[in-house]
Amino acid sequence: MNTLDEMVIGLDIGGTTIKIGLINRSGDIIEKWEIPTNKEEKGTYIVDDIWHSVAGHLDELKVNHNDIIGIGAGAPGFIDSESGKVHEAVNVGWKNFELAAKLKEVSGLTVFLENDANIAALGENWKGAGERAKDLLVMTLGTGVGSGIIANGAILTGTNGTAAEIGHIIVDPDGYPCNCGRVGCLDTIASATGIVHQAMDQITAHPKSDLSAYYNKKGKIDSKDVFDLAAQGDNICKEIINRTGKILGAELARAAMLINPSKIIIGGGLSRAGDQLLHIIIKYFQAYALPRVSRVCEVKLAELGNDAGIIGAAYYALQQYPRRNQGALSR
Ligand SMILES: [Zn+2]
């Protein structure tokens, strides 16, 4: 391995696992692995876990620590990227957590922190479906709904880092409670959790349906079941997918009217259903957006899968390093 090549460490911190990548300046993954997220004691051990694992891999790969120019990290929740602080990340346990400072303390490296959805947008735009668009929106449909916007070539962060929180736009004020403390956010419908919630409502409302019979036999239902049953022609499941795609298409049209992107990229676990959901999103997106907006906007599936986070985090570090260490980088 050519250790002369400078590298950055990309971290994608999630509620279940932490994905770690050693990435060069071209965006190639030299090595990647993951460790479980230890949520004990409000996530106190996570920083040490990460550095212990990274240091071990660097030794194993015989990488000189001087060749690592920094750490880029994406974390869930409300993030202040300038101060490197996590205000609140419910599914990790952090509250007012000085992530960048703590990580810098153990590693001796400069740490650049951003919200995970923004980081995924950077990753897809650098090496994935974005193809370096100047204006783009990436929406990740997983356990929750994440979204990141790049406008005029930069992440849209807003006044206190809360821009592009499309998942918390209220789309059904009489709907389900959201983990943000309010009711009816997009997140509560257009996520894996939301699909299951909708299915459970239908099972209760239609106890004699095929869907109820399926549920009673299996004892549980997940979002993939709903997509599979819809593909097999189950009308209730088809309706759930249609409603979800319609709501997503409408919200994406609203967002597109604000930023006029050339690409909208759909990623996350639900996007694995592929065209089944995508074609409904596109149908309603085109119905609700101004033709002048939809005509120039390609709505497509993400390409990097689970690597979007670590690649985006690496990109963010490479992008931010010269800005925050003026003169420190000779090239
Ligand atoms: Zn919410």
Side-chain angles (χ1 to χ4, degrees), residues 49 79 159 187-188 207 209 292 303:
D49 286 357
I79 308 287
T159 302
D187 195 294
T188 66
S209 63
R292 195 173 158 77
E303 290 172 2

Side-chain angles (χ1 to χ4, degrees), residues 49 71 83 101 150 153-154 169 189 202 205 217 236 245 259 296 301 305 313:
D49 286 357
I71 298 177
S83 66
I150 292 171
I169 289 178
I189 293 171
Q202 294 302 320
K217 193 172 161 208
I236 292 177
I259 58 161
V296 296
L301 294 176

Side-chain angles (χ1 to χ4, degrees), residues 44-71:
T44 307
Y45 306 116
I46 292 174
V47 168
D48 283 338
D49 286 357
I50 290 172
W51 188 244
H52 181 76
S53 175
V54 169
H57 275 77
L58 294 182
D59 284 351
E60 221 169 85
L61 294 163
K62 300 193 169 33
V63 173
N64 188 330
H65 285 221
N66 291 332
D67 288 335
I68 305 293
I69 58 178
I71 298 177

Side-chain angles (χ1 to χ4, degrees), residues 108-121:
L109 292 164
T110 316
V111 180
F112 305 97
L113 175 67
E114 247 297 345
N115 169 273
D116 56 357
N118 292 343
I119 287 290

Side-chain angles (χ1 to χ4, degrees), residues 10-250:
L11 300 177
D12 180 5
I13 302 169
T16 313
T17 60
I18 297 161
K19 297 178 183 70
I20 305 172
L22 198 55
I23 291 158
N24 68 16
R25 283 182 171 277
S26 312
D28 305 318
I29 298 175
I30 307 300
E31 183 87 4
K32 65 171 179 177
W33 68 96
E34 57 181 59
I35 59 172
T37 309
N38 183 353
K39 288 185 273 195
E40 278 174 44
E41 312 266 343
K42 297 181 178 168
T44 307
Y45 306 116
I46 292 174
V47 168
D48 283 338
D49 286 357
I50 290 172
W51 188 244
H52 181 76
S53 175
V54 169
H57 275 77
L58 294 182
D59 284 351
E60 221 169 85
L61 294 163
K62 300 193 169 33
V63 173
N64 188 330
H65 285 221
N66 291 332
D67 288 335
I68 305 293
I69 58 178
I71 298 177
F78 299 123
I79 308 287
D80 183 340
S81 58
E82 285 295 325
S83 66
K85 191 168 153 183
V86 178
H87 287 293
E88 188 163 20
V90 179
N91 56 358
V92 175
W94 289 334
K95 199 160 188 177
N96 295 321
F97 191 79
E98 302 275 0
L99 177 58
K102 286 180 198 284
L103 208 46
K104 184 179 180 178
E105 198 183 302
V106 293
S107 68
L109 292 164
T110 316
V111 180
F112 305 97
L113 175 67
E114 247 297 345
N115 169 273
D116 56 357
N118 292 343
I119 287 290
L122 285 178
E124 278 295 337
N125 204 24
W126 189 27
K127 303 299 280 186
E131 300 167 88
R132 307 185 190 197
K134 188 165 70 69
D135 301 282
L136 124 160
L137 188 160
V138 174
M139 183 168 264
T140 309
L141 308 174
T143 315
V145 174
S147 52
I149 288 172
I150 292 171
N152 285 331
I155 293 178
L156 194 65
T157 53
T159 302
N160 66 0
T162 325
E165 288 288 346
I166 301 173
H168 292 290
I169 289 178
I170 291 174
V171 296
D172 182 2
D174 303 316
Y176 308 129
C178 182
N179 60 19
C180 72
R182 303 175 311 148
V183 171
C185 296
L186 180 65
D187 195 294
T188 66
I189 293 171
S191 60
T193 324
I195 300 269
V196 171
H197 213 149
Q198 294 183 71
M200 291 309 297
D201 276 1
Q202 294 302 320
I203 287 164
T204 308
H206 306 282
K208 295 208 167 77
S209 63
D210 291 347
L211 179 61
S212 285
Y214 180 91
Y215 173 75
N216 290 334
K217 193 172 161 208
K218 203 180 160 193
K220 64 182 174 73
I221 194 156
D222 60 29
S223 59
K224 189 176 179 300
D225 294 328
V226 177
F227 279 99
D228 288 347
L229 290 168
Q232 290 160 25
D234 184 88
N235 281 328
I236 292 177
C237 291
K238 274 161 73 178
E239 183 45 39
I240 292 171
I241 306 300
N242 192 60
R243 174 177 184 242
T244 305
K246 182 177 181 179
I247 291 170
L248 276 168

